[in-house]
Amino acid sequence: GGAATLQQQQQQQQTSSDFYFGDDSLSSSDSFAQEEKDMRARGIQRSHLYIYDRVNRQSKYGADHPPTMLCAPPPCVSCCPLVLEQNPCCEALGQVGVVHHNNLKTRLWLMRLGLVSNVLGLLLTVVACGAMSQHYELLRHVSMSTGSITVLNQNRRLTKLRVFVGLRSIAWERSTGSGGGGGVVVDGSEICNLRVREGVPLLNEDLCRDCENANNSFWTCLVGALVSYWLSIFTNVLRMYPNYDVNCQKGVGIIVSIVAMSLNLLTWRGYYDFCFAAFFNGQYLFDNGQIIREPRETEDSVFVMFSWAPGFALLAVILATFLKVVDFISHFMLPTPSITRNRQEQRAYDELLREANI
């Protein structure tokens, strides 16, 4: 019967090695295109029943299935199987891997590794989204960058400032030599107008507009990355179940990983390129708003020392980017089950269904 034929094929495909550098589910003599041509010539229709059952979490191979429909292949796969699943591109991507598709232990190890990296990346991205806050206390702990500024005027009066730059606002914490001070939050649109004191800008006025404009896109990238993590988590759970894994879900796992990495990379590299480049860093002598290149002291000159460092939100984005690489590798290493490409196994599944309905 169909079940016996399938079991015999699966037994032949088992290997004692964890590593697998090919796919024995494909005929070595016929390409995908040739096989499709032969099937059409003989009037044989492609089998989609195994796809329908996987979408509905009703696969006849084993009782285990994903815990929720969110972790099952999407319904659109069963609606357009030839476009989204059973095409040469998806099948070629599905066979790529360095472990055997029937090695359940390695499958679980890889997908759990990817799941852990995605959960950690999700938590780090949630933390990084705190940089979008306009609350003083939250910005003090979760900002994109932190600055320490010391101002010494001609009267030897010392003023120290702590600056916490977020994506939508900036928090200030000022202290003076007499011990006074306080904190305030300024809208991010005013970043180019901020002054450490009269005549001393916070940012290089020639570059601050680039930082202001870039900040408006960075928070959008963070939200996009946040959404992508949920798709990745559902895909990790799905691919733990070999009887529900399909080619398109491997593709989704890889593509979503690349998108999330790109969004995170755009955020932290863009912030370094556009905002850190606009921050004054080091020691400067200002006179009426102008940097004095040759040391001289006048009645209005002030000595200012700037020091900037990445904030916790930026560090979280950087770490989340590298964690996403782990998820990408785990999907790439694991091929999909051979039934997603092997026409004989697909037809054997149809036979199994017919025998079950007799």
Side-chain angles (χ1 to χ4, degrees), residues 2 4 67 110 112 169 207 212 233 248 272 294 296-297 330:
L110 284 174
R112 286 170 180 170
S169 55
L207 302 174
E212 179 184 350
I233 289 173
C248 64
Y272 269 100
E294 297 180 1
R296 71 174 188 273
E297 293 187 4
S330 67

Side-chain angles (χ1 to χ4, degrees), residues 255-317:
I255 292 172
V256 172
S257 294
I258 293 174
V259 169
M261 280 190 291
S262 300
L263 291 173
N264 285 339
L265 187 62
L266 180 63
T267 300
W268 65 268
R269 281 307 310 171
Y271 194 85
Y272 269 100
D273 293 340
F274 291 106
C275 290
F276 266 99
F279 295 147
F280 290 113
N281 199 19
Q283 302 177 2
Y284 297 87
L285 187 62
F286 286 86
D287 189 358
N288 292 322
Q290 302 295 322
I291 298 177
I292 302 174
R293 302 299 180 183
E294 297 180 1
R296 71 174 188 273
E297 293 187 4
T298 66
E299 185 176 325
D300 297 321
S301 64
V302 292
F303 176 80
V304 186
M305 184 169 64
F306 298 87
S307 178
W308 292 93
F312 190 76
L314 185 58
L315 295 175
V317 173

Side-chain angles (χ1 to χ4, degrees), residues 9 44 77 125 127 129 141 147 158-159 164 190-191 211-212 245 286 304 312 321 324:
Q9 291 172 350
I44 301 176
V77 179
T125 305
V127 170
C129 286
H141 296 92
L158 188 68
T159 303
F164 308 93
E190 298 294 323
I191 192 170
C211 179
E212 179 184 350
D245 191 11
F286 286 86
V304 186
F312 190 76
T321 305
K324 203 62 184 170

Side-chain angles (χ1 to χ4, degrees), residues 85-100:
E85 173 65 17
Q86 294 178 318
N87 62 75
C89 291
C90 287
E91 293 180 335
L93 177 63
Q95 74 174 354
V96 175
V98 296
V99 299
H100 198 280

Side-chain angles (χ1 to χ4, degrees), residues 100-313:
H100 198 280
H101 52 80
N102 282 340
N103 193 319
L104 180 59
K105 180 180 179 181
T106 307
R107 171 181 290 272
L108 291 175
W109 186 87
L110 284 174
M111 287 300 103
R112 286 170 180 170
L113 180 64
L115 179 62
V116 170
S117 68
N118 278 317
V119 171
L120 292 177
L122 175 63
L123 294 176
L124 289 170
T125 305
V126 169
V127 170
C129 286
M132 295 187 289
S133 172
Q134 294 181 315
H135 294 280
Y136 176 75
E137 286 299 327
L138 186 55
L139 281 175
R140 283 185 68 245
H141 296 92
V142 186
S143 61
M144 293 296 286
S145 56
T146 61
S148 177
I149 305 172
T150 303
V151 181
L152 182 65
N153 61 16
Q154 293 303 310
N155 297 325
R156 302 301 176 186
R157 186 166 183 245
L158 188 68
T159 303
K160 293 184 177 180
L161 298 93
R162 290 279 293 168
V163 183
F164 308 93
V165 182
L167 293 175
R168 299 174 59 198
S169 55
I170 302 100
W172 294 72
E173 185 179 84
R174 183 188 299 268
S175 63
T176 62
S178 59
V184 66
V185 176
V186 182
D187 190 85
S189 61
E190 298 294 323
I191 192 170
C192 292
N193 300 323
L194 294 179
R195 297 291 182 268
V196 175
R197 54 159 291 164
E198 186 177 355
V200 181
L202 176 65
L203 278 73
N204 186 323
E205 294 179 318
D206 296 329
L207 302 174
C208 69
R209 289 299 174 192
D210 292 335
C211 179
E212 179 184 350
N213 295 332
N215 274 344
N216 294 329
S217 63
F218 292 154
W219 71 266
T220 307
C221 292
L222 277 181
V223 173
L226 197 63
V227 173
S228 72
Y229 275 107
W230 288 106
L231 294 176
S232 294
I233 289 173
F234 294 148
T235 304
N236 288 136
V237 175
L238 165 63
R239 299 203 68 205
M240 290 181 189
Y241 297 85
N243 296 328
Y244 291 88
D245 191 11
V246 287
N247 297 319
C248 64
Q249 288 303 106
K250 176 176 181 175
V252 168
I254 291 175
I255 292 172
V256 172
S257 294
I258 293 174
V259 169
M261 280 190 291
S262 300
L263 291 173
N264 285 339
L265 187 62
L266 180 63
T267 300
W268 65 268
R269 281 307 310 171
Y271 194 85
Y272 269 100
D273 293 340
F274 291 106
C275 290
F276 266 99
F279 295 147
F280 290 113
N281 199 19
Q283 302 177 2
Y284 297 87
L285 187 62
F286 286 86
D287 189 358
N288 292 322
Q290 302 295 322
I291 298 177
I292 302 174
R293 302 299 180 183
E294 297 180 1
R296 71 174 188 273
E297 293 187 4
T298 66
E299 185 176 325
D300 297 321
S301 64
V302 292
F303 176 80
V304 186
M305 184 169 64
F306 298 87
S307 178
W308 292 93
F312 190 76

